[in-house]
Amino acid sequence: MIAPEFFYSALIIMIGAFFSVLRILLGPTVPDRVVGVDTLNTLIVAGMVLLGAAYDRVIYIDIAIVYALLSYIGTLVIAKYLQGGLK
Amino acid sequence: MENDMGLIVKTMARATIPLIGIFGAYVVSHGHLTPGGGFQGGATIAGAGILFLVAFGLNEAKKRYDKNLYSALEGLGGLAFLGAAMLGLSVAFFYNILWRDKIAFAGQPGTLLSAGFLPIMNLAVGLKVFTGLVSAMMAIALFRRWKK
């Protein structure tokens, strides 16, 4: 059973993700882009959970959990590089 | 210890590394039931290794990392995959004799102990991918820093 209201909420998440992509494209400095990517990661996790609910598949939530755990590491690696890397 | 990150990141890494490891082990061991499998779970566990290196710094990671052990485990993963593939060699290569002849891992389809040699192969691939990725990451991180 596909529930349409979850698709509408995923569409709203997608509009927010569009603005964050805009910040990544236009961001004048590198930290702007990093914050944009971090926001986009969180929005994508929310979108994955909503789409998992929309398609009524419990196993899709696993992918959202893995993405939430690994996107955090990606942001951390970029932050470490920007503060001087592995000296 | 000058190349580790701040107190918040280290404390959060202490909480997150076991979580990522356990979730990666879940993805590997349920490879025949849920999305994921050997490679995805192994890469997830290797993400825990990357988090350890980033949060605690290179010196701490170098103390915990044993090149010979990881190299041996990677070879062991490949050999376990090949050994599981050759179990049914009396009929054909990759013949799933554990499932067809109900020897082991032959439970009701959909349960954890089903699907014959697939859980063994997932565990082997997960071990190989985890050790291989961690070894590659440590080799890149230690590049031209061996003397220090």
Side-chain angles (χ1 to χ4, degrees), chain A residues 59 62-63 65-66 69-70 72-73 76-77 80 83 86-87, chain B residues 3 5 9 12 20 23 26 34-35 44 47 50-51 54 145:
Chain A
I59 50 178
D62 287 2
I63 298 146
I65 297 171
V66 171
L69 289 172
L70 294 186
Y72 152 66
I73 297 174
L76 204 60
V77 168
K80 176 142 190 153
Q83 78 163 16
L86 280 169
K87 275 190 295 233
Chain B
N3 57 7
M5 292 188 83
V9 173
M12 196 159 165
I20 298 177
F23 202 83
Y26 158 74
T34 60
T44 308
I50 294 173
L51 180 58
V54 169
R145 284 199 201 94

Side-chain angles (χ1 to χ4, degrees), chain B residues 76-89 93 117 120-121 124:
Chain B
L76 185 73
L79 282 178
F81 186 89
L82 199 61
M86 288 170 79
L87 276 177
L89 206 59
F93 193 48
F117 61 21
I120 304 170
M121 284 182 162

Side-chain angles (χ1 to χ4, degrees), chain A residues 12-81:
Chain A
I12 295 170
I13 293 286
M14 217 173 81
I15 294 167
F18 172 73
F19 284 118
S20 129
V21 167
L22 219 60
R23 177 46 71 195
I24 297 168
L25 289 176
L26 299 177
T29 62
V30 177
D32 281 333
R33 295 195 163 97
V34 176
V35 171
V37 169
D38 203 22
T39 313
L40 188 60
N41 283 331
T42 313
L43 286 175
I44 284 174
V45 170
M48 279 177 178
V49 172
L50 284 172
L51 285 179
Y55 288 109
D56 204 7
R57 296 269 198 280
V58 180
I59 50 178
Y60 288 178
I61 308 298
D62 287 2
I63 298 146
I65 297 171
V66 171
Y67 192 83
L69 289 172
L70 294 186
S71 67
Y72 152 66
I73 297 174
T75 310
L76 204 60
V77 168
I78 299 173
K80 176 142 190 153
Y81 172 71

